[in-house]
């Protein structure tokens, strides 16, 4: 596998595995991410997986003084370590833990999914068909980005692909489930946004004060279940809101 | 040690060295925009580097000392004043209880950092005390400081801090005879920003790249802790490939669809899909933290290796300052005057 490694900053390098979206590459990145966390180099700070890349953030002061890392500068030291580590890391026999599918309840349409009718008419489907297609697929979390906890999901049925809104909304409520191109995703916080909104989950996707701040992480599998507005409110009440 | 805000100023938040371990969850680094000034304010007091400081934006804020405090400030956003007396920067200052401290306009920069002995007592959220306003967490109740807010210091002083406090405390406004020699950190031209070519540098036309490295760029009004939009010569693409979203960091310089340059700052999003023409050398990111809309900057190119050497050198200099403070307090003078 041809992996490019480049400096993103004085304190970060990026490993570029693929320049196109590919599920098997995403799985490989997730596994290597886990491998690096178990077998870190001195000075490793944190890892940031994305669609086709893994970014490694480190403390240059520690790296440059780490004599066990061969090389003269941080880029050389870290890249050498990463290449060796990737070669040693067994891509095939890594135990493939049966991926747990996380379920997200969604109330589709109405006030929670203001673009559902529009989307159905443009795609020449009924709203029921849109909901059916969206809630019957199993998605993969490719990346968390944009804002804390915003999960980019791949695996959308091609019949649901639709362009972003011409003019983004100034405010999209937290929990909104949207579609943009080949992706679907959940707005974790109230932010401006241009995705076509088809529903909303009552779950809080991001909470800084929770032990586990996010519900979804890169590499997770996700499915959606249809709930009624009444059930949506029950979820909210159960959270004491 | 405790202060109460009378006027909050334009934007006053608690910041520290940033929140580094949650980038994979989409949580930005945050922290002080001018991390160098923030660090210097802490170091001069004998606080740990990266302890919580107040970040003031421009002048206008005003606070009252509810108890006596030992403080220090740095950064060019404002001058602190009590009555008609300007407080010296980069120097431990002992302010008695009941004093009214006002931030007065300074032509220099944008942000001022205030450290208090022990560091501000603020709960840690996701490994940091930094305020991240877009998601309303961290810092003082996840928000900017408002009038009436009271914040206090951690009652856990280093030996150096205790020594400084002992030498200054009483009923009067007092400061040390010495200050931090910070000239070594200040470049001749603080609008000259050194950059390292980015991954997609070669995706732009030669003429655009020449403009990027020679022409001035002006900060647009749409510039904040998340990032700076720049006005100036448009960047034209020679390679029109799509980029898959990948990690971005403070200092990453992106080019948006309309050919405009954007510098991501500390609250910037953790991933992005715009081509990265360059990144600001870490050593110059604090300079960017002092920029304000309308400021004109010019980029100059350095190599990645050069940028790393400069950054390591800066880190060693800061370590030396910390050691030098201990020496100074024990009459072994060198870096302090």
């Amino acid at each position: 596998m041809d992996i490019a490694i480049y400096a993103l900053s004085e304190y970060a390098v990026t490993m570029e595995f693929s320049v196109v979206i590919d599920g098997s590459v995403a799985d490989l990145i997730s596994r290597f991410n886990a491998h690096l966390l178990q077998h870190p180099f001195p000075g490793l700070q944190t890892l940031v997986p994305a669609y086709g890349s893994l970014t490694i953030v480190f403390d240059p002061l520690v790296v440059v003084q780490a004599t066990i890392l061969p090389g003269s500068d941080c880029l050389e030291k870290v890249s050498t370590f990463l290449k060796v580590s990737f070669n040693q890391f067994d891509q095939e026999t890594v135990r493939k833990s049966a991926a747990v599918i996380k379920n997200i309840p969604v109330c589709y349409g109405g006030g929670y999914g203001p673009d559902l009718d529009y989307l159905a008419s443009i795609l020449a489907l009924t709203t029921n068909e849109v909901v059916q297609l969206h809630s019957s697929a199993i998605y993969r979390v490719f990346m968390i980005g944009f804002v804390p906890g915003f999960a980019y999901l791949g695996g959308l049925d091609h019949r649901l692909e639709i362009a972003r809104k011409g003019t983004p909304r100034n405010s999209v409520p937290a929990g909104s489930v949207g579609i943009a191109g080949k992706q679907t995703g959940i707005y974790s916080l109230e932010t401006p946004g241009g995705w076509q909104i088809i529903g909303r989950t009552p779950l809080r996707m991001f909470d800084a004060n929770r032990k586990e701040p996010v519900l979804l992480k890169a590499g997770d599998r996700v499915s959606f279940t249809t709930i009624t507005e009444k059930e949506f409110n029950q979820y909210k009440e159960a959270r004491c809101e | 040690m405790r202060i109460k805000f009378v006027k909050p100023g334009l934007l006053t938040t608690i910041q520290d060295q940033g929140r580094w371990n949650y980038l994979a969850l989409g949580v930005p680094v945050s922290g002080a925009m001018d991390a160098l000034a923030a660090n210097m304010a802490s170091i001069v007091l004998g606080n740990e580097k990266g302890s919580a400081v107040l970040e003031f934006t421009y002048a206008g804020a005003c606070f009252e000392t509810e108890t006596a405090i030992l403080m220090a400030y740095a950064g060019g956003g404002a001058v602190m004043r009590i009555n008609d007396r300007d407080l010296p920067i980069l120097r431990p200052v002992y302010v008695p209880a009941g004093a009214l401290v006002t931030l007065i306009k300074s032509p220099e920069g944008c942000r001022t950092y205030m450290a208090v002995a022990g560091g501000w007592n603020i709960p840690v959220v996701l490994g940091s005390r930094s305020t991240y306003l877009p998601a309303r967490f961290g810092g003082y109740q996840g928000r900017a400081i408002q009038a009436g807010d009271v914040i206090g210091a951690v009652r856990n002083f280093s030996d150096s801090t205790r020594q400084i406090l002992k030498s200054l405390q009483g009923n009067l406004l007092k400061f040390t005879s010495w200050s931090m020699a910070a000239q070594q950190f200040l470049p001749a031209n603080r609008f000259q920003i050194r950059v390292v070519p980015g991954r997609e540098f070669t995706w732009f036309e030669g003429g655009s790249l020449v403009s990027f490295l020679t022409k001035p760029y002006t900060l647009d009004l749409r510039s904040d802790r998340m990032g700076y939009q720049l006005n100036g010569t448009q960047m034209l693409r020679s390679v029109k490939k799509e980029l898959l979203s990948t990690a971005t960091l403070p200092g990453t310089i992106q080019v948006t669809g309309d050919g405009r340059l954007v510098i991501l700052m500390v609250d910037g999003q953790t991933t992005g899909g715009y081509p990265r023409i360059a990144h600001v050398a870490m050593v110059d990111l604090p300079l960017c933290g002092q920029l304000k809309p309308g400021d004109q900057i010019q980029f100059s190119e350095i190599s990645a290796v050069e940028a790393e050497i400069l950054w390591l050198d800066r880190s060693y200099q800061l370590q030396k300052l910390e050691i030098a403070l201990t020496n100074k307090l024990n009459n072994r003078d060198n870096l302090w005057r």
Side-chain angles (χ1 to χ4, degrees):
Chain A
M1 185 168 203
D2 194 19
I3 302 167
I5 301 181
Y6 60 88
L8 181 63
S9 171
E10 284 83 285
Y11 60 91
V13 301
T14 298
M15 295 175 83
E16 190 181 78
F17 292 78
S18 171
V19 293
V20 291
I21 298 176
D22 178 333
S24 62
V25 170
D27 283 340
L28 180 65
I29 292 171
S30 290
R31 294 204 301 273
F32 188 55
N33 183 95
H35 173 82
L36 272 181
L37 291 175
Q38 277 164 21
H39 309 278
F41 59 87
L44 174 66
Q45 174 86 43
T46 197
L47 300 172
V48 195
Y51 279 103
S53 68
L54 181 64
T55 293
I56 295 98
V57 179
F58 54 85
D59 181 346
L61 221 47
V62 177
V63 168
V64 81
Q65 287 166 358
T67 46
I68 64 156
L69 298 173
S72 56
D73 55 59
C74 289
L75 176 61
E76 193 184 349
K77 279 169 172 272
V78 174
S79 341
T80 307
F81 177 89
L82 292 172
K83 280 176 201 154
V84 172
S85 178
F86 187 75
N87 287 336
Q88 285 169 351
F89 150 77
D90 199 328
Q91 301 173 35
E92 300 307 321
T93 61
V94 169
R95 190 169 51 88
K96 283 184 187 170
S97 52
V100 180
I101 299 172
K102 294 187 177 168
N103 190 263
I104 306 289
V106 177
C107 180
Y108 288 95
Y112 293 146
D115 298 326
L116 179 64
D117 291 343
Y118 167 79
L119 194 124
S121 70
I122 292 290
L123 299 174
L125 296 166
T126 65
T127 55
N128 277 340
E129 284 168 332
V130 171
V131 171
Q132 177 61 31
L133 288 172
H134 192 262
S135 60
S136 58
I138 292 171
Y139 302 92
R140 174 201 311 271
V141 181
F142 275 99
M143 181 178 86
I144 308 290
F146 175 51
V147 290
F150 187 104
Y152 289 86
L153 309 180
L156 184 71
D157 190 293
H158 66 91
R159 283 166 286 183
L160 294 181
E161 287 175 20
I162 190 164
R164 285 173 170 79
K165 296 185 81 67
T167 311
R169 288 188 169 89
N170 286 329
S171 171
V172 176
S176 294
V177 176
I179 293 179
K182 295 177 193 307
Q183 307 171 106
T184 183
I186 310 163
Y187 282 82
S188 49
L189 301 170
E190 184 184 323
T191 59
W195 291 30
Q196 307 282 356
I197 306 301
I198 59 168
R200 197 185 301 174
T201 176
L203 302 185
R204 196 194 286 263
M205 303 306 292
F206 178 84
D207 183 348
N209 297 310
R210 206 160 52 193
K211 194 171 168 224
E212 198 59 62
V214 294
L215 293 189
L216 301 177
K217 284 184 174 166
D220 284 351
R221 297 295 193 277
V222 180
S223 68
F224 296 105
T225 307
T226 312
I227 55 168
T228 62
E229 194 161 351
K230 193 178 162 199
E231 287 167 321
F232 183 97
N233 292 328
Q234 282 165 350
Y235 268 101
K236 285 273 189 189
E237 279 160 24
R239 255 172 44 199
C240 303
E241 283 187 345
Chain B
M1 297 187 186
R2 211 167 61 234
I3 63 170
K4 182 177 187 174
F5 277 85
V6 179
K7 279 194 276 179
L10 186 65
L11 176 63
T12 303
T13 57
I14 291 283
Q15 300 295 342
D16 63 7
Q17 80 292 347
R19 191 170 275 116
W20 285 95
N21 290 334
Y22 298 87
L23 296 174
L25 308 190
V27 178
V29 178
S30 301
M33 286 281 274
D34 178 351
L36 178 62
N39 274 333
M40 290 198 294
S42 293
I43 291 172
V44 78
L45 273 185
N47 284 355
E48 258 180 62
K49 212 165 55 193
S51 57
V53 294
L54 276 165
E55 178 180 277
F56 296 96
T57 315
Y58 304 116
C62 174
F63 61 85
E64 192 187 348
T65 52
E66 289 207 329
T67 68
I69 63 165
L70 178 63
M71 58 154 282
Y73 78 106
V79 173
M80 290 198 176
R81 186 176 289 174
I82 298 175
N83 297 324
D84 288 332
R85 201 158 170 198
D86 286 353
L87 305 184
I89 62 159
L90 294 171
R91 205 185 286 237
V93 180
Y94 180 86
V95 185
L100 204 60
V101 182
T102 308
L103 276 83
I104 305 295
K105 201 173 166 199
S106 146
E108 291 259 320
C110 179
R111 295 180 172 87
T112 308
Y113 295 88
M114 177 190 173
V116 67
W120 295 108
N121 188 8
I122 294 291
V124 172
V125 179
L126 301 181
S128 164
R129 295 181 169 84
S130 292
T131 315
Y132 177 55
L133 290 176
R136 295 192 283 272
F137 68 82
Y140 187 88
Q141 298 175 8
R143 61 168 171 80
I145 296 290
Q146 295 170 3
D149 287 349
V150 175
I151 55 171
V154 175
R155 267 186 249 182
N156 183 14
F157 303 153
S158 69
D159 288 344
S160 298
T161 307
R162 262 194 289 271
Q163 272 175 281
I164 298 169
L165 186 59
K166 211 172 135 194
S167 71
L168 297 177
Q169 66 189 358
N171 301 317
L172 300 170
L173 173 66
K174 255 176 115 177
F175 38 82
T176 55
S177 56
W178 45 269
S179 71
M180 184 186 280
Q183 296 91 331
Q184 57 180 323
F185 296 120
L186 304 173
N189 178 358
R190 60 190 178 87
F191 298 109
Q192 178 93 31
I193 307 295
R194 287 168 288 189
V195 297
V196 178
R199 177 69 172 164
E200 286 80 45
F201 186 74
T202 54
W203 284 22
F204 298 90
E205 287 184 3
S208 292
L209 293 175
V210 170
S211 300
F212 173 60
L213 295 169
T214 55
K215 295 259 176 69
Y217 286 88
T218 309
L219 255 76
D220 192 80
L221 277 172
R222 287 168 296 169
S223 296
D224 55 22
R225 285 179 46 89
M226 294 176 77
Y228 297 160
Q229 304 237 17
L230 301 181
N231 296 320
T233 311
Q234 194 189 15
M235 295 291 108
L236 300 174
R237 294 264 293 265
S238 52
V239 176
K240 299 218 167 69
K241 278 192 285 194
E242 276 290 308
L243 184 67
L244 268 188
S245 277
T246 177
T248 52
L249 288 166
T252 299
I253 307 177
Q254 298 180 325
V255 180
T256 54
D258 53 0
R260 189 194 272 267
L261 296 167
V262 175
I263 308 179
L264 296 180
M265 294 303 291
V266 294
D267 282 350
Q269 57 188 67
T270 56
T271 59
Y274 292 119
R276 298 150 297 176
I277 192 169
H279 75 260
V280 174
M282 273 301 285
V283 73
D284 283 351
L285 201 58
L287 295 177
C288 295
Q290 290 294 351
L291 296 174
K292 45 188 183 291
D295 279 349
Q296 209 173 63
I297 56 173
Q298 199 161 328
F299 296 113
S300 66
E301 183 186 346
I302 58 172
S303 71
V305 171
E306 227 176 319
E308 181 182 311
I309 291 169
L310 287 167
W311 176 244
L312 291 171
D313 188 52
R314 164 73 53 82
S315 309
Y316 294 137
Q317 292 299 327
L318 282 174
Q319 285 182 348
K320 271 201 238 170
L321 273 178
E322 288 176 274
I323 297 164
L325 175 67
T326 321
N327 288 347
K328 167 76 206 170
L329 293 169
N330 295 302
N331 294 319
R332 295 196 300 270
D333 207 344
N334 46 15
L335 283 173
W336 304 68
R337 59 180 160 74

